[in-house]
Each structure stands twice: as C-alpha cells, then as structure tokens.
Amino acid sequence: MQLNFTDLSANQRYHLMTQTIIPRPIAWVLTDSGDENYNLAPFSYFTAVSSKPALLMISVGKKPNGDNKDTLTNVLKNKKMVIHIAAEHQAEIVTQTAATLAHGESELANAGLTTSAFDDFPLPRLTQCDIAYGCELYEIKELGDIPQTLIFVEIKQLYINDTVVSQDAKERLNIAADKVKPLARLGGGEYASITAPFSIQRPE
C-alpha cells in the first residue's frame, strides 16, 4: 500500500502519522496556571532537538473550541515548564490528564498526584516520576492554518531518581530504562511499554 498525503485530510494524516510513527515518548508537562495552581497535560508530539543548547520540543494543538491549550497559555505567561517521563503503570492517569478542563482547573487534584520541590527551579516536579526536566521557554513557532504551535524549551535542571541511575567506569551516568519503564504512545488509544533493553556496539 502506498498513500499520497496530498490527497488526505488533516485528520486522515494525523491518524496515519500517529499509527506509524511508533513508539513515541510522552512529555507529561506541568505548568503554572497562577497562584500555584498547576496544569498537567501529556503530549506525544515530543522530542529532543539539540544538546547545545539543550532543547526539547513539544507540539501543541488547539482545544476543541479553538482556544489555546493551557500549557501554551501558561508557558507564554510564565516562561517555565517541567517535563516528566511517565511510567507504564501511569498510563491510566496520563490519559486522564489529557481531558479538556476549564483554565485554572488542576489535573493534579483530579488525578490524585502530588508534587515535590524541584531544587533550583521555580516550579515543582511530580513526586511520582523518576525523570523530570526543569525547562525555560526558548522559542515558539506556529505552523499551518490552525495553527499548530511548536514550543522549544531549554533544559535548566534535570531530576533523576537515584534508584534508576548508576555510574559506569568512565564516570558517566547510566539510566536503567528497565527500571524507569517509560510509557510509549502508539496510535488511537494504544500505549506500549519497552521490552528488555539490549546493546549493540557502534562502529568507530
């Protein structure tokens, strides 16, 4: 089967892209809606962009009524966000936090999640996640007619739970993916977990 994307609607393209670009990591993003009322939302159009500067990118669409999503509204105002890597056992909660709520209504309270202080960063992190990035807004780009918003953020702080990290002979930090058990996004309502990690030596 071969499909010509120019013949497809935006919804058809989205469906096919999310069915075939698999697995995708999920950015579980915490932002401040004001008065320490925290918004939490998952985004699977998410990736690392560069290491100098240390940039991550999430792609954010609109609410069903066409308004900006709270994540975009909050980061435009406060210039900060915390991106978490969710675990496979959190799939149900991650999905719950994708619900469209009124601005200022916190997903954390609805999901029963808690936060911990994020040292040297103004926003807290989710207590329940092993990996969290404290990020500052770097750049925003809008694409298309709707438009879709690309949010580029620079990593300022990185939290890693001590239970999932070790140090190798070269004193480099190694993250145990099989302990993090990161949740991956597939198409539709499908998620996946990782299998046992394996290593292959790269050529010189």
Side-chain angles (χ1 to χ4, degrees):
M1 177 182 290
Q2 184 166 321
L3 302 171
N4 186 338
F5 255 47
T6 59
D7 297 333
L8 304 177
S9 69
N11 282 340
Q12 289 173 317
R13 295 173 188 175
Y14 173 81
H15 177 76
L16 287 168
M17 289 171 69
T18 56
Q19 293 282 324
T20 56
I21 303 172
I22 52 174
R24 300 188 306 284
I26 300 169
W28 210 8
V29 180
L30 180 145
T31 54
D32 190 354
S33 297
D35 298 323
E36 296 186 350
N37 183 14
Y38 300 115
N39 177 266
L40 185 66
F43 298 92
S44 69
Y45 275 19
F46 159 60
T47 192
V49 177
S50 67
S51 53
K52 190 177 180 180
L55 299 183
L56 304 175
M57 186 277 295
I58 62 171
S59 179
V60 182
K62 300 291 186 183
K63 289 184 177 181
N65 66 359
D67 290 346
N68 284 343
K69 289 190 174 179
D70 291 352
T71 298
L72 175 58
T73 298
N74 294 344
V75 79
L76 283 170
K77 181 179 179 181
N78 303 313
K79 317 300 182 189
K80 303 285 192 300
M81 68 169 57
V82 179
I83 296 178
H84 304 83
I85 303 300
E88 61 179 50
H89 71 273
Q90 296 167 327
E92 190 69 40
I93 303 175
V94 169
T95 305
Q96 288 179 27
T97 62
T100 301
L101 303 179
H103 182 69
E105 188 176 347
S106 177
E107 289 81 3
L108 276 77
N110 289 343
L113 296 165
T114 59
T115 60
S116 296
F118 201 158
D119 293 343
D120 299 319
F121 197 73
L123 296 180
R125 58 177 176 80
L126 292 178
T127 308
Q128 292 82 0
C129 288
D130 289 329
I131 297 172
Y133 301 92
C135 302
E136 290 184 356
L137 179 63
Y138 183 84
E139 187 176 0
I140 284 182
K141 290 187 176 293
E142 292 192 335
L143 303 175
D145 299 329
I146 300 175
Q148 189 83 6
T149 303
L150 305 185
I151 304 176
F152 296 87
V153 293
E154 184 172 3
I155 303 168
K156 294 298 183 180
Q157 297 289 336
L158 171 59
Y159 166 81
I160 308 170
N161 189 324
D162 290 342
T163 64
V164 303
V165 65
S166 61
Q167 205 167 42
D168 66 15
K170 296 181 179 179
E171 298 187 349
R172 295 175 302 189
L173 295 180
N174 286 335
I175 309 302
D178 56 341
K179 292 183 179 179
V180 176
K181 299 184 184 299
L183 178 65
R185 191 78 165 90
L186 304 177
E190 292 186 322
Y191 293 87
S193 57
I194 63 168
T195 59
F198 60 91
S199 299
I200 299 176
Q201 188 67 37
R202 294 178 62 178
E204 297 294 334

